[in-house]
Amino acid sequence: MTKAINLIKTHASNPKVWMVVIGVTVAGVVLVAEAKRRRRHREDFGAFVERFEILPFPQPPPPAAKQSLAGLTFAIKDIFDVKGYVTGFGNPQWKKTHEVAEKTAVVVTALLKNGATCVGKTVMDELAFGITGENVHYGTPINPQMPSHVPGGSSSGSAVAVAAELVDFALGTDTVGCIRISAAFCGIFGCRPSHGALSMLGVLPSSQSLDTVGWLARDASTLHRVGHALLQLNAVEPKRTRRLIFADDLFQLSRVPKQKTEYVISKAVEKLSGYQPPKHMNLGSYVAANVPSLKGFHGQAENMQNDKSFLKALSSVMIAFQRFEFKTNHERWVQSVKPKLGPDVSESVLAAINTPHDNIKTLYKVRTEMRAALQSLLKVAIPLGKHNGCPVSVSFLSFHGGDKFLLDTVLDMNSSLQEQVNLASNLTLLPDTNDDMDASELLKEKGNAAFKGKQWNKAVTYYTEAVKLNGKNATYYSNRAAAYLELGCFQQAEDDCSKAISLDKKNVKAYLRRGTARESLLRYKDAAQDFKHALVLEPRNKVASVAEKRLKKLMS
């Protein structure tokens, strides 16, 4: 299971460049959902703990504009207050020991004011501890994309309700990835806005330094509409140059071939205006250089000279934050009630309660340095189809406060992304590894697949794209020449082979193919020279030997 990606604005002093760092999240391929399912799961995929209906505020009379979310339904994670209902926090004992809410959460009220209808509360990981979406008390919601796998948490029920088309969108919270992981596992869109951008009034706290209200939707348009309603974004922002930055070291953590994802995103960006060419970076190196307090953090990292160790240390800081602030918020309740918790949650809660947290000052220092270095707490997960049968999601992240910029970017880019995903999905010959194969190699392999399928024109197109990305690879020219030969484009085939030979003097295939092209152009003497050269390189080459004899007869 890979981690959600981080994005950065590396040059905060330069207001003309907005940057997004990209990475990949794969569905929970190693976590298998519990076998026992309740009957109600068949009806609602086990997404809800409580069903009800709260109608939206009345539409204001003309000439007021129509409510932006009119006609849409939504569900909320069982962490939001609704007047007259007890907020359950994913645990029956919590629900029994707390009173009904006197007010509805601010963000829920905002959605009702904008015309949406709330239809119930959804299952979550107990006390918002966990990333699998499992709950021993209410059952694990069924992942509509992959029923035998977990839906991801802790906003699991909200994600499942959206993915199963039970609601148009849903609210959740994101502390350590609870929105983005659930969205990725269920193959939908999820947004964690800038920390502090949305009111947390009426939302049970887990860790105030990390908690953020987020939302999930099946399409980019709904994600965008909800974002504008909640964030009350300005209609116009200054136009600025934009650039995507790939966090290469994070792609290495993914099981999805890196070159396939990079190619899809790069091709999608080409169709958008105002974007500079993408850049690449090592996020671990960046963190190591800009967050010096991590070196003094006594985390799990064994070798702090390793870039990945810095990322592991940063993850440990995040978990320590969550546990410390959870203890501050809920220690008294845990010790007095002694609730029955699931095994994993019980272990996390006990660790939170029993840890002395002597290094809390260091944790806050790391947080301050990290925020200054990245300015990048807004995160969006976008579904990119499947890999080996599992949903794949790419995360786009921007600087803190760039909510409108990121939502607009996702909306603008999504259709092109999906188009490129459909093209890339036709290729099944690539290895499931993240080696040094880049986008040009991906295109070559796609060209080879088209060639084997006798789709000559399509093969030429793929090889041409590969040449554009890497014009110094002889194989790309030689392979395109083979496709040109099948199409009867002999002059183009000769030109490509000549280019391949100039790059690689020992390219036997290029000599053979140029010889074939020249023979077809009735230039027998030149063709004979090519086949002779191929025999010098490979004396036992039967194709060259037969061709040389044939040409001798033709010239005689």
Side-chain angles (χ1 to χ4, degrees):
M1 180 177 61
T2 59
K3 295 184 179 179
I5 328 312
N6 299 300
L7 73 144
I8 86 172
K9 185 187 178 194
T10 53
H11 301 290
S13 60
N14 183 358
K16 296 183 179 180
V17 182
W18 287 14
M19 300 185 177
V20 182
V21 175
I22 306 169
V24 179
T25 303
V26 184
V29 296
V30 297
L31 300 172
V32 181
E34 63 185 35
K36 295 181 180 180
R37 305 289 189 180
R38 301 185 180 183
R39 290 183 179 179
R40 65 182 178 85
H41 284 190
R42 299 174 184 175
E43 301 174 0
D44 63 6
F45 290 78
F48 289 89
V49 293
E50 195 167 12
R51 298 296 293 263
F52 50 73
E53 184 178 74
I54 304 177
L55 297 176
F57 284 38
Q59 169 70 37
K66 183 180 178 181
Q67 293 165 316
S68 61
L69 303 180
L72 299 184
T73 60
F74 70 100
I76 59 176
K77 185 176 182 177
D78 194 19
I79 200 171
F80 293 90
D81 285 345
V82 172
K83 185 177 180 180
Y85 293 86
V86 179
T87 306
F89 212 12
N91 181 274
Q93 287 174 276
W94 178 281
K95 192 169 186 178
K96 289 179 181 178
T97 55
H98 288 79
E99 302 295 326
V100 299
E102 296 182 356
K103 294 182 179 180
T104 297
V106 170
V107 288
V108 176
T109 300
L111 296 172
L112 297 172
K113 286 182 177 179
N114 279 275
T117 300
C118 182
V119 298
K121 291 192 173 186
T122 57
V123 176
M124 58 179 283
D125 286 67
E126 289 183 84
L127 311 181
F129 260 117
I131 60 172
T132 66
E134 298 171 289
N135 189 302
V136 297
H137 308 289
Y138 300 110
T140 301
I142 299 174
N143 186 334
Q145 289 278 345
M146 300 191 69
S148 64
H149 291 65
V150 294
S154 64
S155 302
S156 55
S158 292
V160 167
V162 172
E165 302 185 20
L166 304 175
V167 292
D168 296 303
F169 67 94
L171 284 184
T173 56
D174 193 309
T175 302
V176 294
C178 310
I179 283 281
R180 290 158 289 148
I181 292 173
S182 299
F185 283 22
C186 292
I188 58 175
F189 292 79
C191 180
R192 171 195 169 110
S194 298
H195 188 266
L198 294 179
S199 172
M200 293 294 293
L201 288 177
V203 185
L204 292 176
S206 175
S207 172
Q208 293 90 325
S209 295
L210 303 172
D211 292 343
T212 307
V213 172
W215 62 98
L216 306 113
R218 283 187 302 280
D219 58 85
S221 177
T222 301
L223 189 83
H224 190 267
R225 288 170 63 185
V226 175
H228 275 251
L230 287 176
L231 296 162
Q232 298 181 341
L233 300 173
N234 295 327
V236 178
E237 284 189 358
K239 291 184 178 180
R240 304 184 182 185
T241 302
R242 301 172 179 181
R243 168 175 287 148
L244 296 179
I245 299 178
F246 288 91
D248 289 331
D249 50 332
L250 296 181
F251 276 95
Q252 298 295 340
L253 300 175
S254 171
R255 296 185 178 187
V256 181
K258 180 183 74 172
Q259 71 279 7
K260 184 176 288 188
T261 307
E262 288 186 357
Y263 173 74
V264 165
I265 297 170
S266 297
K267 294 298 291 183
V269 173
E270 286 180 7
K271 298 186 177 182
L272 300 178
S273 60
Y275 277 82
Q276 295 182 3
K279 285 191 175 183
H280 295 259
M281 69 166 292
N282 184 299
L283 186 63
S285 297
Y286 180 82
V287 170
N290 291 277
V291 189
S293 293
L294 269 181
K295 295 179 180 179
F297 178 68
H298 301 290
Q300 301 297 320
E302 298 177 357
N303 178 13
M304 293 303 288
Q305 299 303 314
N306 185 311
D307 291 336
K308 289 184 180 180
S309 293
F310 277 95
L311 296 178
K312 291 180 181 178
L314 188 63
S315 177
S316 297
V317 169
M318 180 178 65
I319 298 301
F321 252 123
Q322 183 188 26
R323 290 179 174 177
F324 168 73
E325 294 185 338
F326 179 90
K327 177 179 181 178
T328 302
N329 295 323
H330 307 301
E331 179 180 19
R332 180 177 297 180
W333 179 81
V334 172
Q335 291 183 340
S336 62
V337 175
K338 296 179 174 54
K340 181 181 178 181
L341 303 170
D344 293 339
V345 176
S346 179
E347 182 180 343
S348 297
V349 169
L350 288 175
I353 300 300
N354 296 328
T355 301
H357 300 290
D358 296 330
N359 59 350
I360 190 62
K361 290 184 178 180
T362 306
L363 298 181
Y364 278 102
K365 190 173 182 180
V366 170
R367 182 187 69 171
T368 300
E369 292 175 356
M370 192 66 184
R371 285 185 172 180
L374 300 186
Q375 296 194 22
S376 58
L377 298 183
L378 190 149
K379 309 170 184 181
V380 174
I382 303 176
L384 286 185
K386 291 188 175 183
H387 176 69
N388 289 341
C390 299
V392 175
S393 175
V394 62
S395 289
F396 284 74
L397 303 89
S398 185
F399 59 93
H400 187 273
D403 303 64
K404 182 180 187 300
F405 161 66
L406 194 57
L407 286 171
D408 290 349
T409 297
V410 170
L411 186 63
D412 292 342
M413 189 184 296
N414 183 61
S415 60
S416 182
L417 275 175
Q418 301 308 321
E419 178 184 344
Q420 294 302 323
V421 167
N422 291 334
L423 290 174
S425 64
N426 293 326
L427 181 65
T428 59
L429 302 179
L430 284 180
D432 294 339
T433 58
N434 276 336
D435 50 23
D436 294 331
M437 188 185 297
D438 58 14
S440 59
E441 281 293 289
L442 167 65
L443 287 162
K444 183 200 75 173
E445 295 296 338
K446 296 184 77 166
N448 292 349
F451 188 93
K452 290 179 180 179
K454 298 184 179 180
Q455 297 175 298
W456 319 123
N457 283 309
K458 195 172 183 180
V460 167
T461 299
Y462 286 132
Y463 292 138
T464 299
E465 290 294 321
V467 167
K468 288 180 181 179
L469 293 176
N470 184 359
K472 296 183 179 181
N473 190 308
T475 301
Y476 301 164
Y477 291 99
S478 180
N479 286 11
R480 186 169 67 177
Y484 275 138
L485 287 175
E486 296 292 343
L487 291 169
C489 301
F490 304 121
Q491 187 58 59
Q492 291 93 327
E494 181 187 10
D495 292 343
D496 269 352
C497 289
S498 296
K499 181 65 176 179
I501 291 169
S502 70
L503 295 169
D504 180 8
K505 301 296 184 182
K506 297 182 179 181
N507 193 318
V508 175
K509 289 183 178 179
Y511 282 108
L512 293 174
R513 289 164 183 169
R514 188 170 71 174
T516 301
R518 287 174 169 177
E519 181 179 354
S520 300
L521 293 169
L522 306 182
R523 292 163 52 194
Y524 299 144
K525 184 176 180 180
D526 291 336
Q529 288 296 322
D530 281 332
F531 290 123
K532 182 177 181 180
H533 205 120
L535 281 172
V536 171
L537 294 171
E538 289 186 4
R540 296 183 180 181
N541 191 296
K542 293 183 179 180
V543 173
S545 178
V546 172
E548 187 182 41
K549 293 178 182 178
R550 182 176 66 251
L551 286 169
K552 283 182 179 180
K553 292 182 179 180
L554 289 173
M555 289 187 291
S556 63

